[in-house]
mmCIF file of all heavy atoms in Angstrom:
data_model
loop_
_atom_site.group_PDB
_atom_site.id
_atom_site.type_symbol
_atom_site.label_atom_id
_atom_site.label_comp_id
_atom_site.label_asym_id
_atom_site.label_seq_id
_atom_site.Cartn_x
_atom_site.Cartn_y
_atom_site.Cartn_z
ATOM 1 N N ALA A 138 23.502 29.449 83.935
ATOM 2 C CA ALA A 138 22.778 29.314 85.240
ATOM 3 C C ALA A 138 23.279 30.439 86.130
ATOM 4 O O ALA A 138 24.413 30.683 86.065
ATOM 5 C CB ALA A 138 22.979 27.805 85.739
ATOM 6 N N PHE A 139 22.415 30.721 87.064
ATOM 7 C CA PHE A 139 22.716 31.769 88.104
ATOM 8 C C PHE A 139 22.833 31.081 89.418
ATOM 9 O O PHE A 139 22.018 30.091 89.752
ATOM 10 C CB PHE A 139 21.585 32.853 88.018
ATOM 11 C CG PHE A 139 21.437 33.649 86.779
ATOM 12 C CD1 PHE A 139 20.565 33.357 85.803
ATOM 13 C CD2 PHE A 139 22.256 34.754 86.577
ATOM 14 C CE1 PHE A 139 20.482 34.056 84.760
ATOM 15 C CE2 PHE A 139 22.270 35.535 85.491
ATOM 16 C CZ PHE A 139 21.348 35.167 84.575
ATOM 17 N N SER A 140 23.730 31.590 90.250
ATOM 18 C CA SER A 140 23.992 30.902 91.414
ATOM 19 C C SER A 140 22.959 31.361 92.360
ATOM 20 O O SER A 140 22.622 30.546 93.305
ATOM 21 C CB SER A 140 25.393 31.326 92.094
ATOM 22 O OG SER A 140 25.544 32.727 92.118
ATOM 23 N N THR A 141 22.305 32.515 92.269
ATOM 24 C CA THR A 141 21.162 32.964 93.073
ATOM 25 C C THR A 141 20.164 33.536 92.192
ATOM 26 O O THR A 141 20.448 34.459 91.285
ATOM 27 C CB THR A 141 21.719 34.085 94.126
ATOM 28 O OG1 THR A 141 22.814 33.580 94.845
ATOM 29 C CG2 THR A 141 20.565 34.438 94.999
ATOM 30 N N LEU A 142 18.932 33.267 92.512
ATOM 31 C CA LEU A 142 17.807 33.745 91.534
ATOM 32 C C LEU A 142 16.715 34.314 92.501
ATOM 33 O O LEU A 142 16.437 33.743 93.488
ATOM 34 C CB LEU A 142 17.252 32.396 90.913
ATOM 35 C CG LEU A 142 16.190 32.763 89.692
ATOM 36 C CD1 LEU A 142 17.017 33.510 88.558
ATOM 37 C CD2 LEU A 142 15.706 31.550 89.139
ATOM 38 N N LEU A 143 16.224 35.515 92.025
ATOM 39 C CA LEU A 143 15.168 36.163 92.769
ATOM 40 C C LEU A 143 13.943 35.979 91.910
ATOM 41 O O LEU A 143 13.964 36.357 90.778
ATOM 42 C CB LEU A 143 15.441 37.629 93.009
ATOM 43 C CG LEU A 143 16.605 38.003 94.077
ATOM 44 C CD1 LEU A 143 16.943 39.488 94.031
ATOM 45 C CD2 LEU A 143 16.409 37.430 95.311
ATOM 46 N N VAL A 144 12.825 35.434 92.504
ATOM 47 C CA VAL A 144 11.662 35.283 91.805
ATOM 48 C C VAL A 144 10.565 36.133 92.404
ATOM 49 O O VAL A 144 10.274 36.150 93.560
ATOM 50 C CB VAL A 144 11.263 33.657 91.876
ATOM 51 C CG1 VAL A 144 9.933 33.531 91.100
ATOM 52 C CG2 VAL A 144 12.373 32.884 91.210
ATOM 53 N N ASN A 145 9.857 36.855 91.440
ATOM 54 C CA ASN A 145 8.738 37.652 91.838
ATOM 55 C C ASN A 145 7.481 36.929 91.795
ATOM 56 O O ASN A 145 6.969 36.558 90.710
ATOM 57 C CB ASN A 145 8.699 38.943 90.964
ATOM 58 C CG ASN A 145 7.664 39.907 91.415
ATOM 59 O OD1 ASN A 145 6.855 39.626 92.292
ATOM 60 N ND2 ASN A 145 7.600 41.100 90.772
ATOM 61 N N VAL A 146 6.988 36.609 92.967
ATOM 62 C CA VAL A 146 5.585 35.848 93.052
ATOM 63 C C VAL A 146 4.488 36.903 93.617
ATOM 64 O O VAL A 146 4.538 37.116 94.912
ATOM 65 C CB VAL A 146 5.779 34.647 93.867
ATOM 66 C CG1 VAL A 146 4.464 33.923 93.845
ATOM 67 C CG2 VAL A 146 6.726 33.743 93.263
ATOM 68 N N SER A 147 3.681 37.452 92.778
ATOM 69 C CA SER A 147 2.605 38.361 93.256
ATOM 70 C C SER A 147 3.086 39.511 94.034
ATOM 71 O O SER A 147 2.599 39.818 95.052
ATOM 72 C CB SER A 147 1.563 37.485 94.024
ATOM 73 O OG SER A 147 0.974 36.448 93.286
ATOM 74 N N GLY A 148 4.169 40.114 93.546
ATOM 75 C CA GLY A 148 4.740 41.200 94.266
ATOM 76 C C GLY A 148 5.745 40.890 95.376
ATOM 77 O O GLY A 148 6.370 41.897 95.937
ATOM 78 N N LYS A 149 5.909 39.601 95.793
ATOM 79 C CA LYS A 149 6.726 39.212 96.655
ATOM 80 C C LYS A 149 7.964 38.473 96.164
ATOM 81 O O LYS A 149 7.773 37.654 95.305
ATOM 82 C CB LYS A 149 6.116 38.174 97.779
ATOM 83 C CG LYS A 149 5.006 38.901 98.541
ATOM 84 C CD LYS A 149 4.468 38.055 99.592
ATOM 85 C CE LYS A 149 3.272 38.659 100.376
ATOM 86 N NZ LYS A 149 2.699 37.773 101.275
ATOM 87 N N PHE A 150 9.143 38.806 96.589
ATOM 88 C CA PHE A 150 10.460 38.293 96.013
ATOM 89 C C PHE A 150 10.893 37.193 96.896
ATOM 90 O O PHE A 150 11.001 37.370 98.109
ATOM 91 C CB PHE A 150 11.552 39.309 95.907
ATOM 92 C CG PHE A 150 11.185 40.377 94.918
ATOM 93 C CD1 PHE A 150 10.429 41.617 95.073
ATOM 94 C CD2 PHE A 150 11.651 40.252 93.515
ATOM 95 C CE1 PHE A 150 10.134 42.452 94.096
ATOM 96 C CE2 PHE A 150 11.400 41.119 92.520
ATOM 97 C CZ PHE A 150 10.649 42.235 92.747
ATOM 98 N N PHE A 151 11.280 36.002 96.231
ATOM 99 C CA PHE A 151 11.840 34.886 96.883
ATOM 100 C C PHE A 151 13.108 34.457 96.373
ATOM 101 O O PHE A 151 13.414 34.578 95.025
ATOM 102 C CB PHE A 151 10.792 33.674 96.756
ATOM 103 C CG PHE A 151 9.480 33.906 97.454
ATOM 104 C CD1 PHE A 151 8.405 34.487 96.629
ATOM 105 C CD2 PHE A 151 9.297 33.615 98.754
ATOM 106 C CE1 PHE A 151 7.175 34.708 97.294
ATOM 107 C CE2 PHE A 151 8.028 33.888 99.298
ATOM 108 C CZ PHE A 151 6.959 34.298 98.571
ATOM 109 N N GLU A 152 14.098 34.238 97.256
ATOM 110 C CA GLU A 152 15.542 33.849 96.823
ATOM 111 C C GLU A 152 15.671 32.404 96.752
ATOM 112 O O GLU A 152 15.257 31.676 97.606
ATOM 113 C CB GLU A 152 16.541 34.443 97.770
ATOM 114 C CG GLU A 152 17.930 34.152 97.444
ATOM 115 C CD GLU A 152 18.857 34.791 98.373
ATOM 116 O OE1 GLU A 152 18.336 35.173 99.471
ATOM 117 O OE2 GLU A 152 20.112 34.586 98.222
ATOM 118 N N TYR A 153 16.257 31.880 95.604
ATOM 119 C CA TYR A 153 16.518 30.475 95.363
ATOM 120 C C TYR A 153 18.078 30.409 94.975
ATOM 121 O O TYR A 153 18.526 31.161 94.339
ATOM 122 C CB TYR A 153 15.670 29.885 94.034
ATOM 123 C CG TYR A 153 14.189 29.971 94.401
ATOM 124 C CD1 TYR A 153 13.379 30.993 94.176
ATOM 125 C CD2 TYR A 153 13.650 28.745 94.897
ATOM 126 C CE1 TYR A 153 12.120 30.994 94.463
ATOM 127 C CE2 TYR A 153 12.189 28.785 95.252
ATOM 128 C CZ TYR A 153 11.415 29.917 95.064
ATOM 129 O OH TYR A 153 10.095 29.885 95.230
ATOM 130 N N THR A 154 18.569 29.268 95.545
ATOM 131 C CA THR A 154 20.081 29.051 95.250
ATOM 132 C C THR A 154 20.242 27.805 94.407
ATOM 133 O O THR A 154 19.379 26.920 94.223
ATOM 134 C CB THR A 154 20.784 28.854 96.515
ATOM 135 O OG1 THR A 154 20.203 27.670 97.270
ATOM 136 C CG2 THR A 154 20.799 30.056 97.449
ATOM 137 N N LEU A 155 21.309 27.829 93.562
ATOM 138 C CA LEU A 155 21.644 26.894 92.616
ATOM 139 C C LEU A 155 22.064 25.618 93.358
ATOM 140 O O LEU A 155 22.836 25.562 94.124
ATOM 141 C CB LEU A 155 22.620 27.297 91.595
ATOM 142 C CG LEU A 155 23.148 26.261 90.543
ATOM 143 C CD1 LEU A 155 21.925 26.017 89.630
ATOM 144 C CD2 LEU A 155 24.263 26.769 89.839
ATOM 145 N N LYS A 156 21.449 24.381 93.010
ATOM 146 C CA LYS A 156 21.747 23.067 93.564
ATOM 147 C C LYS A 156 22.582 22.362 92.633
ATOM 148 O O LYS A 156 23.264 21.428 92.827
ATOM 149 C CB LYS A 156 20.416 22.359 93.932
ATOM 150 C CG LYS A 156 19.732 22.857 95.245
ATOM 151 C CD LYS A 156 20.601 22.528 96.385
ATOM 152 C CE LYS A 156 19.875 22.997 97.798
ATOM 153 N NZ LYS A 156 20.835 22.662 98.899
ATOM 154 N N GLY A 157 22.410 22.488 91.333
ATOM 155 C CA GLY A 157 23.114 21.689 90.319
ATOM 156 C C GLY A 157 22.208 21.502 89.063
ATOM 157 O O GLY A 157 21.003 21.730 89.064
ATOM 158 N N GLU A 158 22.859 20.842 88.079
ATOM 159 C CA GLU A 158 22.093 20.630 86.916
ATOM 160 C C GLU A 158 21.474 19.212 86.880
ATOM 161 O O GLU A 158 21.858 18.386 87.588
ATOM 162 C CB GLU A 158 23.032 20.641 85.625
ATOM 163 C CG GLU A 158 22.591 20.333 84.311
ATOM 164 C CD GLU A 158 23.527 20.337 83.204
ATOM 165 O OE1 GLU A 158 24.728 20.409 83.448
ATOM 166 O OE2 GLU A 158 23.143 20.119 82.028
ATOM 167 N N ILE A 159 20.192 19.194 86.359
ATOM 168 C CA ILE A 159 19.490 17.905 86.190
ATOM 169 C C ILE A 159 19.207 17.641 84.826
ATOM 170 O O ILE A 159 18.715 18.414 84.019
ATOM 171 C CB ILE A 159 18.036 18.159 87.003
ATOM 172 C CG1 ILE A 159 18.291 18.549 88.391
ATOM 173 C CG2 ILE A 159 17.226 16.826 86.815
ATOM 174 C CD1 ILE A 159 17.034 18.985 89.196
#
Side-chain angles (χ1 to χ4, degrees):
F139 297 94
S140 59
T141 303
L142 193 63
L143 296 178
V144 179
N145 185 351
V146 181
S147 301
K149 296 182 179 180
F150 289 89
F151 298 89
E152 181 181 3
Y153 296 86
T154 57
L155 179 66
K156 285 292 186 180
E158 182 182 1
I159 302 174

